[in-house]
Amino acid sequence: MTLDPTEAGAALRLPSDCSISSIRSIHEIIQDALGRQGPLEIDCSKVNRADLTSIQLLLSTAKTGEAQGRPVVLTELSDVLRDTLQRAGFAGDAMIDKHFPQKKGGS
């Protein structure tokens, strides 16, 4: 997982393993990123292992960002993460977008 700590609003890239076995370290880095100023983009393109803990963490992160008045945006959802979201009950892209704002197509 990478994050340039010198840039406000820098993108955070999730690691390939976002399962329960690595969620603690991911949580710590996200928590640190939420302490910085500006919007937070989370690049999900490399995720090839995800479970309900990763969905819970991303949902909590989005809600925390909303409560702080700063956007948390997911970019490049991997197929694995999208499938995990759907298995967790987020049926379809509209529901995913409602709970997990996404940056699409360079916007």
Side-chain angles (χ1 to χ4, degrees):
M1 178 169 14
T2 60
L3 173 68
D4 184 343
T6 63
E7 292 183 37
L12 181 149
R13 179 174 294 143
L14 293 179
S16 62
D17 184 358
C18 288
S19 66
I20 194 168
S21 62
S22 61
I23 207 70
R24 178 170 282 161
S25 64
I26 297 168
H27 174 262
E28 290 171 1
I29 291 173
I30 287 176
Q31 202 170 25
D32 182 53
L34 281 170
R36 301 182 192 290
Q37 297 297 315
L40 173 60
E41 287 186 12
I42 301 176
D43 179 344
C44 304
S45 62
K46 302 295 183 197
V47 176
N48 66 22
R49 204 167 159 211
D51 56 24
L52 191 53
T53 57
S54 51
I55 304 308
Q56 289 171 323
L57 179 58
L58 290 173
L59 185 57
S60 174
T61 301
K63 288 181 181 261
T64 299
E66 184 179 347
Q68 292 177 349
R70 54 186 299 229
V72 174
V73 178
L74 304 183
T75 64
E76 306 294 329
L77 265 66
S78 70
D79 289 339
V80 168
L81 186 57
R82 186 173 299 281
D83 289 346
T84 303
L85 282 163
Q86 290 173 345
R87 283 195 321 270
F90 294 90
D93 288 339
M95 183 175 258
I96 292 171
D97 288 344
K98 178 181 176 186
H99 295 282
F100 302 96
Q102 296 176 62
K103 181 177 178 181
K104 299 177 184 173
S107 56

XYZ file of all heavy atoms in Angstrom:
797
model
N 0.870 -1.163 0.000
C 0.000 0.000 0.000
C 0.907 1.212 0.000
O 1.881 1.267 0.724
C -0.881 -0.016 1.236
C -1.768 1.164 1.336
S -3.046 1.062 2.595
C -2.582 -0.273 3.619
N 0.559 2.192 -0.819
C 1.393 3.368 -0.900
C 0.587 4.628 -0.673
O -0.582 4.700 -1.005
C 2.090 3.457 -2.274
O 1.092 3.511 -3.292
C 3.001 2.270 -2.509
N 1.241 5.602 -0.102
C 0.670 6.924 0.116
C 1.835 7.879 0.226
O 2.768 7.636 0.981
C -0.150 6.965 1.406
C -0.675 8.330 1.841
C -1.740 8.834 0.875
C -1.239 8.262 3.237
N 1.789 8.957 -0.546
C 2.834 9.970 -0.437
C 2.455 10.891 0.709
O 1.542 11.698 0.575
C 2.961 10.760 -1.736
C 4.104 11.763 -1.676
O 4.579 12.080 -0.559
O 4.513 12.228 -2.736
N 3.110 10.769 1.855
C 2.714 11.536 3.029
C 2.964 13.034 2.909
O 2.475 13.797 3.711
C 3.563 10.940 4.147
C 4.741 10.353 3.468
C 4.278 9.940 2.096
N 3.690 13.456 1.893
C 3.973 14.879 1.764
C 2.904 15.614 0.979
O 2.881 16.835 0.968
C 5.337 15.100 1.079
O 5.278 14.564 -0.251
C 6.450 14.443 1.861
N 2.032 14.902 0.313
C 1.019 15.537 -0.513
C -0.343 15.495 0.144
O -0.839 14.431 0.477
C 0.906 14.821 -1.856
C 2.117 14.970 -2.744
C 1.907 14.301 -4.081
O 0.776 14.349 -4.603
O 2.867 13.728 -4.585
N -0.958 16.681 0.325
C -2.335 16.731 0.811
C -3.224 16.176 -0.280
O -3.070 16.492 -1.451
C -2.731 18.168 1.135
N -4.151 15.329 0.099
C -5.079 14.769 -0.870
C -4.456 13.715 -1.772
O -5.001 13.398 -2.809
N -3.298 13.177 -1.384
C -2.638 12.168 -2.202
C -3.465 10.892 -2.249
O -4.205 10.584 -1.330
C -1.256 11.859 -1.628
N -3.321 10.173 -3.338
C -4.035 8.913 -3.477
C -3.340 7.830 -2.659
O -2.120 7.770 -2.577
C -4.108 8.500 -4.939
N -4.142 6.996 -2.068
C -3.661 5.851 -1.310
C -3.970 4.633 -2.159
O -5.102 4.488 -2.619
C -4.408 5.803 0.023
C -4.051 4.690 0.983
C -4.256 5.192 2.399
C -4.912 3.477 0.747
N -3.012 3.794 -2.411
C -3.229 2.589 -3.206
C -3.302 1.391 -2.271
O -2.350 1.103 -1.548
C -2.119 2.383 -4.226
C -2.330 1.105 -5.041
C -1.339 0.939 -6.147
N -1.550 1.990 -7.119
C -0.568 2.602 -7.772
N 0.676 2.276 -7.558
N -0.834 3.533 -8.652
N -4.446 0.721 -2.289
C -4.607 -0.463 -1.453
C -3.720 -1.591 -1.962
O -3.486 -1.709 -3.166
C -6.066 -0.926 -1.459
C -7.073 -0.001 -0.787
C -8.486 -0.592 -0.893
C -6.723 0.242 0.665
N -3.252 -2.448 -1.053
C -2.426 -3.585 -1.466
C -3.293 -4.659 -2.117
O -4.524 -4.593 -2.080
C -1.840 -4.082 -0.141
C -2.875 -3.728 0.866
C -3.463 -2.414 0.390
N -2.648 -5.662 -2.672
C -3.401 -6.744 -3.318
C -4.212 -7.543 -2.301
O -5.313 -7.983 -2.590
C -2.465 -7.657 -4.104
O -1.528 -8.260 -3.231
N -3.684 -7.712 -1.092
C -4.396 -8.468 -0.058
C -5.093 -7.510 0.906
O -4.444 -6.857 1.716
C -3.426 -9.370 0.708
C -4.119 -10.252 1.738
O -5.364 -10.162 1.903
O -3.417 -11.038 2.398
N -6.402 -7.456 0.794
C -7.217 -6.629 1.697
C -8.139 -7.518 2.529
O -9.249 -7.129 2.871
C -8.037 -5.620 0.895
S -7.048 -4.294 0.213
N -7.657 -8.695 2.841
C -8.448 -9.626 3.654
C -8.163 -9.381 5.135
O -7.330 -8.550 5.501
C -8.111 -11.071 3.280
O -6.770 -11.368 3.639
N -8.843 -10.128 5.977
C -8.735 -9.954 7.422
C -7.291 -10.083 7.912
O -6.902 -9.430 8.877
C -9.678 -10.924 8.164
C -9.825 -10.497 9.624
C -9.219 -12.358 8.005
C -10.946 -11.195 10.363
N -6.483 -10.871 7.234
C -5.100 -11.080 7.692
C -4.242 -9.820 7.594
O -3.250 -9.698 8.304
C -4.448 -12.221 6.909
O -4.384 -11.904 5.539
N -4.621 -8.871 6.742
C -3.809 -7.658 6.601
C -4.581 -6.378 6.913
O -4.048 -5.288 6.751
C -3.240 -7.584 5.181
O -4.284 -7.517 4.242
N -5.801 -6.506 7.406
C -6.661 -5.333 7.561
C -6.149 -4.357 8.626
O -6.358 -3.152 8.511
C -8.131 -5.750 7.813
C -9.087 -4.657 7.331
C -8.372 -6.097 9.262
C -9.146 -4.496 5.863
N -5.475 -4.845 9.644
C -4.982 -3.952 10.701
C -3.999 -2.914 10.149
O -4.108 -1.729 10.447
C -4.334 -4.734 11.835
C -3.778 -3.803 12.927
C -3.356 -4.527 14.150
N -4.595 -4.813 14.867
C -4.730 -5.725 15.787
N -3.711 -6.469 16.133
N -5.872 -5.918 16.392
N -3.055 -3.355 9.346
C -2.087 -2.394 8.791
C -2.763 -1.447 7.803
O -2.412 -0.261 7.740
C -0.908 -3.119 8.134
O -1.350 -3.879 7.030
N -3.732 -1.929 7.050
C -4.478 -1.069 6.126
C -5.254 -0.026 6.919
O -5.262 1.157 6.567
C -5.422 -1.911 5.239
C -4.608 -2.866 4.365
C -6.315 -1.010 4.385
C -5.439 -3.932 3.683
N -5.878 -0.452 8.008
C -6.628 0.472 8.861
C -5.727 1.583 9.386
O -6.092 2.763 9.376
C -7.269 -0.288 10.019
C -7.935 0.598 11.013
N -7.320 0.979 12.179
C -9.147 1.204 11.003
C -8.131 1.777 12.857
N -9.245 1.929 12.159
N -4.539 1.243 9.844
C -3.616 2.239 10.387
C -3.230 3.273 9.327
O -3.179 4.475 9.613
C -2.376 1.551 10.953
C -2.672 0.774 12.225
C -1.519 -0.097 12.678
O -0.454 -0.097 12.018
O -1.692 -0.802 13.693
N -2.971 2.833 8.116
C -2.581 3.757 7.060
C -3.759 4.638 6.645
O -3.597 5.842 6.427
C -1.984 2.997 5.862
C -0.637 2.405 6.298
C -1.824 3.906 4.662
C 0.008 1.500 5.310
N -4.958 4.061 6.576
C -6.144 4.858 6.244
C -6.406 5.878 7.346
O -6.717 7.035 7.075
C -7.370 3.962 5.988
C -7.221 3.249 4.640
C -8.664 4.768 6.036
C -8.320 2.268 4.321
N -6.259 5.463 8.589
C -6.469 6.373 9.715
C -5.496 7.552 9.637
O -5.885 8.703 9.850
C -6.288 5.603 11.019
C -6.961 6.219 12.192
C -6.936 5.256 13.379
O -6.085 4.380 13.505
N -7.895 5.425 14.261
N -4.249 7.264 9.316
C -3.258 8.322 9.157
C -3.640 9.249 8.000
O -3.549 10.468 8.110
C -1.877 7.708 8.912
C -0.800 8.758 8.788
O -0.681 9.601 9.696
O -0.066 8.732 7.773
N -4.084 8.671 6.897
C -4.476 9.468 5.728
C -5.673 10.358 6.039
O -5.752 11.488 5.564
C -4.781 8.553 4.546
N -6.598 9.872 6.854
C -7.758 10.679 7.232
C -7.359 11.854 8.126
O -8.097 12.826 8.231
C -8.814 9.823 7.936
C -9.678 8.976 7.021
C -10.515 7.996 7.842
C -10.562 9.837 6.138
N -6.203 11.775 8.749
C -5.722 12.867 9.583
C -5.113 14.008 8.777
O -4.836 15.068 9.310
N -4.917 13.800 7.504
C -4.342 14.833 6.634
C -5.463 15.702 6.072
O -6.626 15.356 6.130
C -3.576 14.189 5.492
C -2.461 13.301 6.008
C -1.674 12.697 4.879
N -0.809 11.641 5.339
C 0.268 11.803 6.077
N 0.625 12.991 6.458
N 0.994 10.771 6.448
N -5.082 16.823 5.509
C -6.046 17.758 4.926
C -6.424 17.321 3.511
O -5.670 16.634 2.845
C -5.447 19.169 4.881
C -5.135 19.740 6.241
C -6.383 19.903 7.101
O -7.400 20.380 6.641
N -6.302 19.466 8.342
N -7.577 17.762 3.074
C -8.001 17.556 1.696
C -8.695 16.235 1.471
O -8.820 15.408 2.371
N -9.153 16.033 0.252
C -9.861 14.802 -0.087
C -8.922 13.607 -0.063
O -7.707 13.756 -0.161
C -10.384 15.070 -1.500
C -9.484 16.111 -2.048
C -9.016 16.935 -0.883
N -9.504 12.436 0.083
C -8.724 11.206 0.091
C -9.218 10.316 -1.034
O -10.394 9.965 -1.079
C -8.870 10.477 1.431
C -8.232 9.091 1.533
C -6.722 9.157 1.300
C -8.539 8.463 2.880
N -8.325 9.994 -1.955
C -8.628 9.041 -3.014
C -7.989 7.719 -2.648
O -6.815 7.673 -2.266
C -8.071 9.512 -4.360
C -8.826 10.661 -4.948
C -8.335 11.001 -6.357
O -7.574 10.221 -6.966
O -8.724 12.071 -6.830
N -8.766 6.657 -2.782
C -8.263 5.315 -2.487
C -8.311 4.504 -3.776
O -9.381 4.200 -4.295
C -9.085 4.636 -1.380
C -9.043 5.479 -0.106
C -8.558 3.226 -1.127
C -9.908 4.947 1.025
N -7.135 4.167 -4.285
C -6.994 3.390 -5.518
C -7.161 1.909 -5.165
O -6.372 1.347 -4.410
C -5.623 3.661 -6.128
C -5.356 2.881 -7.401
O -6.072 1.906 -7.697
O -4.402 3.253 -8.104
N -8.176 1.297 -5.729
C -8.513 -0.100 -5.423
C -8.169 -1.044 -6.572
O -8.630 -2.187 -6.601
C -10.003 -0.205 -5.112
S -10.563 0.875 -3.782
N -7.351 -0.599 -7.502
C -7.088 -1.368 -8.719
C -6.296 -2.646 -8.497
O -6.420 -3.594 -9.266
C -6.359 -0.497 -9.742
O -5.107 -0.069 -9.241
N -5.476 -2.700 -7.471
C -4.594 -3.857 -7.255
C -5.185 -4.910 -6.315
O -4.564 -5.949 -6.079
C -3.245 -3.397 -6.692
C -2.527 -2.404 -7.555
C -2.122 -3.003 -8.871
C -1.343 -1.987 -9.683
N -1.265 -2.328 -11.080
N -6.372 -4.665 -5.780
C -6.970 -5.601 -4.816
C -7.339 -6.909 -5.522
O -8.153 -6.917 -6.436
C -8.214 -4.988 -4.137
C -8.877 -5.998 -3.210
C -7.837 -3.717 -3.381
N -6.716 -8.007 -5.091
C -7.076 -9.310 -5.646
C -7.505 -10.296 -4.565
O -7.758 -11.466 -4.845
C -5.960 -9.888 -6.525
C -4.713 -10.220 -5.756
O -4.732 -10.412 -4.547
N -3.591 -10.272 -6.455
N -7.601 -9.796 -3.335
C -8.095 -10.601 -2.219
C -8.830 -9.656 -1.278
O -8.253 -8.713 -0.744
C -6.917 -11.243 -1.504
C -7.283 -12.459 -0.757
C -6.060 -13.230 -0.319
N -6.528 -14.056 0.774
C -5.825 -14.443 1.787
N -4.572 -14.097 1.865
N -6.360 -15.172 2.724
N -10.132 -9.890 -1.114
C -10.951 -9.020 -0.271
C -12.023 -9.852 0.411
O -12.439 -10.888 -0.111
C -11.598 -7.926 -1.124
N -12.447 -9.382 1.568
C -13.525 -10.044 2.288
C -14.350 -8.969 2.989
O -14.163 -7.779 2.749
C -12.988 -11.100 3.261
C -11.980 -10.563 4.257
O -12.001 -9.336 4.544
O -11.174 -11.344 4.770
N -15.246 -9.382 3.838
C -16.152 -8.440 4.485
C -15.413 -7.407 5.328
O -15.859 -6.270 5.427
C -17.177 -9.190 5.340
C -18.335 -8.374 5.874
C -19.051 -7.630 4.769
C -19.300 -9.256 6.639
N -14.267 -7.758 5.892
C -13.533 -6.774 6.706
C -13.078 -5.588 5.866
O -13.108 -4.449 6.330
C -12.326 -7.405 7.427
O -11.457 -7.997 6.460
C -12.762 -8.444 8.437
N -12.671 -5.838 4.634
C -12.252 -4.728 3.772
C -13.440 -3.850 3.404
O -13.321 -2.620 3.361
C -11.538 -5.233 2.517
O -12.287 -6.218 1.852
N -14.599 -4.450 3.193
C -15.808 -3.685 2.889
C -16.199 -2.835 4.097
O -16.522 -1.648 3.964
C -16.973 -4.614 2.488
C -16.585 -5.509 1.308
C -18.230 -3.801 2.201
C -16.029 -4.795 0.108
N -16.139 -3.422 5.280
C -16.467 -2.678 6.501
C -15.515 -1.496 6.688
O -15.941 -0.398 7.042
C -16.394 -3.597 7.722
C -17.511 -4.604 7.772
C -17.298 -5.634 8.870
O -16.181 -6.061 9.143
N -18.396 -6.031 9.495
N -14.232 -1.708 6.450
C -13.253 -0.634 6.607
C -13.499 0.485 5.595
O -13.472 1.664 5.947
C -11.830 -1.172 6.479
C -10.721 -0.125 6.594
C -10.793 0.621 7.925
C -9.363 -0.782 6.404
N -13.760 0.130 4.348
C -14.006 1.164 3.332
C -15.292 1.931 3.612
O -15.339 3.157 3.445
C -14.042 0.539 1.939
C -12.700 0.037 1.421
C -12.883 -0.725 0.106
C -11.718 1.180 1.251
N -16.313 1.244 4.074
C -17.568 1.919 4.409
C -17.361 2.862 5.591
O -17.810 4.005 5.572
C -18.660 0.900 4.717
C -20.055 1.447 4.970
C -20.550 2.280 3.803
C -21.028 0.301 5.237
N -16.660 2.412 6.606
C -16.364 3.247 7.763
C -15.528 4.461 7.356
O -15.759 5.578 7.824
C -15.620 2.427 8.816
O -15.208 3.236 9.874
N -14.564 4.243 6.459
C -13.720 5.334 5.976
C -14.553 6.378 5.240
O -14.395 7.587 5.462
C -12.610 4.787 5.058
O -11.827 3.849 5.796
C -11.729 5.899 4.531
N -15.461 5.925 4.381
C -16.325 6.850 3.636
C -17.208 7.648 4.585
O -17.376 8.861 4.439
C -17.166 6.080 2.622
N -17.768 6.987 5.593
C -18.638 7.668 6.556
C -17.842 8.641 7.422
O -18.318 9.734 7.736
C -19.385 6.653 7.416
C -20.472 5.934 6.641
C -21.222 4.959 7.518
C -22.272 4.253 6.712
N -23.587 4.816 6.881
N -16.645 8.275 7.810
C -15.797 9.169 8.600
C -15.438 10.412 7.785
O -15.510 11.532 8.283
C -14.522 8.443 9.065
O -14.895 7.344 9.894
C -13.604 9.378 9.840
N -15.058 10.198 6.545
C -14.745 11.327 5.678
C -15.939 12.254 5.507
O -15.810 13.479 5.578
N -17.111 11.678 5.320
C -18.329 12.484 5.186
C -18.584 13.288 6.458
O -18.905 14.471 6.405
C -19.522 11.571 4.889
C -20.810 12.304 4.646
C -21.965 11.366 4.331
O -21.733 10.172 4.054
O -23.113 11.841 4.381
N -18.413 12.664 7.615
C -18.631 13.353 8.893
C -17.621 14.480 9.095
O -17.924 15.486 9.729
C -18.548 12.362 10.048
N -16.428 14.334 8.547
C -15.387 15.357 8.654
C -15.522 16.428 7.576
O -14.756 17.379 7.551
C -14.001 14.723 8.532
C -13.619 13.832 9.674
C -12.267 13.170 9.461
O -11.672 13.206 8.386
N -11.768 12.524 10.503
N -16.476 16.239 6.671
C -16.661 17.201 5.592
C -15.598 17.124 4.517
O -15.342 18.082 3.801
N -14.975 15.974 4.402
C -13.966 15.796 3.355
C -14.264 14.516 2.588
O -14.527 13.474 3.172
C -12.562 15.763 3.922
C -12.329 14.766 4.999
C -10.963 14.913 5.589
N -9.954 14.703 4.584
C -8.918 13.910 4.749
N -8.749 13.264 5.854
N -8.038 13.775 3.799
N -14.256 14.608 1.284
C -14.624 13.453 0.480
C -13.592 12.336 0.525
O -12.394 12.582 0.571
C -14.754 14.013 -0.931
C -13.998 15.291 -0.923
C -13.963 15.782 0.486
N -14.106 11.117 0.539
C -13.303 9.920 0.359
C -13.837 9.269 -0.904
O -15.022 8.950 -0.993
C -13.433 8.957 1.564
C -12.695 7.654 1.287
C -12.908 9.612 2.833
N -12.971 9.119 -1.887
C -13.390 8.628 -3.191
C -12.588 7.389 -3.543
O -11.362 7.377 -3.415
C -13.172 9.714 -4.276
C -13.567 9.211 -5.646
C -13.936 10.980 -3.917
N -13.286 6.346 -3.982
C -12.625 5.135 -4.447
C -12.359 5.268 -5.936
O -13.201 5.763 -6.684
C -13.503 3.910 -4.193
C -13.960 3.662 -2.761
C -14.754 2.366 -2.687
C -12.795 3.628 -1.799
N -11.190 4.820 -6.359
C -10.871 4.826 -7.783
C -10.519 3.414 -8.219
O -9.971 2.627 -7.432
C -9.698 5.773 -8.115
O -8.512 5.317 -7.473
C -10.001 7.200 -7.690
N -10.859 3.104 -9.437
C -10.437 1.855 -10.076
C -10.758 0.601 -9.250
O -9.851 -0.149 -8.894
C -8.939 1.896 -10.377
C -8.483 3.090 -11.168
C -9.028 3.128 -12.583
O -9.247 2.045 -13.167
O -9.236 4.230 -13.088
N -12.019 0.380 -8.937
C -12.391 -0.830 -8.205
C -12.006 -2.071 -9.012
O -12.389 -2.200 -10.174
C -13.904 -0.872 -7.959
C -14.391 -0.341 -6.623
C -14.143 1.134 -6.514
C -15.836 -0.663 -6.421
N -11.242 -2.953 -8.403
C -10.882 -4.200 -9.076
C -12.123 -5.081 -9.171
O -13.090 -4.902 -8.419
C -9.782 -4.929 -8.302
O -10.295 -5.437 -7.079
N -12.092 -6.037 -10.075
C -13.223 -6.968 -10.210
C -13.439 -7.750 -8.921
O -14.571 -7.996 -8.520
C -12.997 -7.928 -11.376
C -13.103 -7.235 -12.727
O -13.724 -6.150 -12.810
O -12.552 -7.778 -13.713
N -12.342 -8.120 -8.256
C -12.451 -8.872 -6.998
C -13.161 -8.038 -5.939
O -14.068 -8.525 -5.260
C -11.052 -9.312 -6.498
C -11.112 -9.831 -5.070
C -10.469 -10.360 -7.428
N -12.786 -6.773 -5.806
C -13.417 -5.917 -4.806
C -14.882 -5.667 -5.164
O -15.756 -5.709 -4.302
C -12.666 -4.604 -4.659
C -13.155 -3.696 -3.531
C -13.110 -4.406 -2.179
C -12.342 -2.423 -3.490
N -15.167 -5.433 -6.429
C -16.548 -5.228 -6.868
C -17.397 -6.478 -6.581
O -18.512 -6.373 -6.083
C -16.593 -4.880 -8.354
C -17.977 -4.508 -8.850
C -17.937 -4.004 -10.281
N -17.135 -2.812 -10.439
C -17.541 -1.588 -10.125
N -18.741 -1.396 -9.638
N -16.750 -0.558 -10.304
N -16.862 -7.656 -6.855
C -17.587 -8.908 -6.560
C -17.825 -9.060 -5.062
O -18.905 -9.495 -4.639
C -16.816 -10.123 -7.088
C -16.821 -10.215 -8.603
O -17.630 -9.517 -9.261
O -15.981 -10.973 -9.136
N -16.833 -8.701 -4.256
C -16.978 -8.791 -2.803
C -18.053 -7.824 -2.321
O -18.865 -8.176 -1.458
C -15.636 -8.501 -2.101
O -14.648 -9.412 -2.599
C -15.746 -8.651 -0.599
N -18.087 -6.629 -2.874
C -19.142 -5.667 -2.534
C -20.521 -6.236 -2.864
O -21.452 -6.136 -2.056
C -18.932 -4.352 -3.295
C -17.872 -3.420 -2.749
C -17.468 -2.393 -3.801
C -18.369 -2.734 -1.487
N -20.644 -6.846 -4.006
C -21.933 -7.408 -4.402
C -22.321 -8.584 -3.510
O -23.481 -8.708 -3.119
C -21.919 -7.774 -5.876
C -21.891 -6.520 -6.741
C -21.717 -6.795 -8.213
O -21.335 -7.896 -8.625
N -21.968 -5.786 -9.028
N -21.370 -9.430 -3.147
C -21.658 -10.541 -2.225
C -22.035 -10.029 -0.844
O -22.782 -10.689 -0.112
C -20.448 -11.476 -2.131
C -20.299 -12.392 -3.314
C -19.325 -13.539 -3.054
N -18.145 -13.190 -2.297
C -16.990 -12.771 -2.809
N -16.849 -12.625 -4.104
N -15.964 -12.495 -2.026
N -21.544 -8.842 -0.484
C -21.849 -8.248 0.825
C -23.215 -7.568 0.828
O -23.643 -7.046 1.850
C -20.768 -7.255 1.219
N -23.888 -7.554 -0.316
C -25.237 -7.006 -0.360
C -25.372 -5.689 -1.084
O -26.459 -5.119 -1.133
N -24.297 -5.174 -1.643
C -24.354 -3.938 -2.419
C -24.673 -4.321 -3.859
O -23.791 -4.473 -4.687
C -23.038 -3.168 -2.326
C -22.765 -2.664 -0.939
C -22.061 -3.435 -0.030
C -23.242 -1.433 -0.536
C -21.820 -2.985 1.250
C -23.008 -0.965 0.747
C -22.295 -1.752 1.646
N -25.963 -4.508 -4.120
C -26.415 -5.003 -5.415
C -26.337 -3.908 -6.465
O -27.019 -2.898 -6.364
C -27.836 -5.534 -5.305
N -25.500 -4.089 -7.434
C -25.426 -3.175 -8.559
C -24.577 -1.944 -8.313
O -24.287 -1.559 -7.185
N -24.196 -1.319 -9.416
C -23.321 -0.152 -9.375
C -23.955 1.046 -8.670
O -23.264 1.796 -7.988
C -22.898 0.248 -10.782
C -21.899 -0.733 -11.391
O -21.252 -1.471 -10.622
O -21.770 -0.749 -12.626
N -25.269 1.226 -8.826
C -25.928 2.381 -8.199
C -25.804 2.315 -6.679
O -25.532 3.322 -6.028
C -27.390 2.461 -8.616
N -25.989 1.140 -6.109
C -25.883 1.003 -4.655
C -24.435 1.155 -4.204
O -24.158 1.774 -3.181
C -26.450 -0.329 -4.175
C -26.429 -0.461 -2.659
S -27.211 -1.961 -2.088
C -28.763 -1.274 -1.565
N -23.511 0.621 -4.980
C -22.093 0.776 -4.646
C -21.725 2.257 -4.669
O -21.098 2.769 -3.748
C -21.201 -0.039 -5.611
C -21.409 -1.540 -5.385
C -19.730 0.328 -5.424
C -20.754 -2.425 -6.425
N -22.151 2.961 -5.718
C -21.850 4.397 -5.832
C -22.460 5.201 -4.692
O -21.877 6.190 -4.249
C -22.360 4.950 -7.162
C -21.539 4.482 -8.352
O -20.408 3.991 -8.143
O -22.026 4.602 -9.488
N -23.626 4.800 -4.230
C -24.292 5.529 -3.141
C -23.457 5.491 -1.862
O -23.341 6.473 -1.144
C -25.671 4.935 -2.882
C -26.403 5.602 -1.737
C -27.754 4.962 -1.498
C -28.407 5.588 -0.273
N -29.628 4.922 0.091
N -22.888 4.341 -1.554
C -22.139 4.169 -0.306
C -20.640 4.381 -0.461
O -19.954 4.679 0.515
C -22.403 2.777 0.269
C -23.818 2.577 0.677
N -24.334 3.090 1.841
C -24.850 1.965 0.049
C -25.614 2.789 1.943
N -25.954 2.104 0.866
N -20.151 4.190 -1.659
C -18.715 4.318 -1.931
C -18.525 5.214 -3.145
O -18.435 4.728 -4.273
C -18.095 2.939 -2.224
C -18.260 1.942 -1.123
C -19.296 1.032 -1.141
C -17.389 1.922 -0.049
C -19.446 0.105 -0.128
C -17.528 0.998 0.970
C -18.565 0.088 0.931
N -18.470 6.533 -2.944
C -18.287 7.432 -4.085
C -17.042 7.027 -4.872
O -16.022 6.658 -4.297
C -18.112 8.808 -3.434
C -18.740 8.671 -2.083
C -18.535 7.243 -1.675
N -17.170 7.094 -6.199
C -16.069 6.672 -7.055
C -15.693 7.772 -8.022
O -16.531 8.535 -8.472
C -16.470 5.432 -7.859
C -16.745 4.228 -6.978
C -17.216 3.078 -7.804
O -16.483 2.603 -8.673
N -18.429 2.616 -7.573
N -14.428 7.820 -8.329
C -13.910 8.715 -9.352
C -13.763 7.863 -10.605
O -13.088 6.841 -10.581
C -12.564 9.284 -8.926
C -11.969 10.236 -9.915
C -10.669 10.803 -9.365
C -10.030 11.733 -10.356
N -8.784 12.252 -9.832
N -14.418 8.301 -11.669
C -14.401 7.511 -12.894
C -13.914 8.338 -14.052
O -14.183 9.527 -14.134
C -15.810 6.998 -13.199
C -16.357 6.098 -12.126
C -17.757 5.681 -12.446
C -18.309 4.844 -11.296
N -19.700 4.542 -11.456
N -13.227 7.691 -14.963
C -12.837 8.307 -16.215
C -12.100 9.621 -16.096
O -12.367 10.539 -16.847
N -11.187 9.734 -15.132
C -10.376 10.932 -15.008
C -11.103 12.134 -14.429
O -10.608 13.235 -14.461
N -12.309 11.929 -13.893
C -13.042 13.068 -13.314
C -12.765 13.225 -11.849
O -12.251 12.410 -11.186
C -14.530 12.893 -13.514
O -14.985 11.675 -12.971
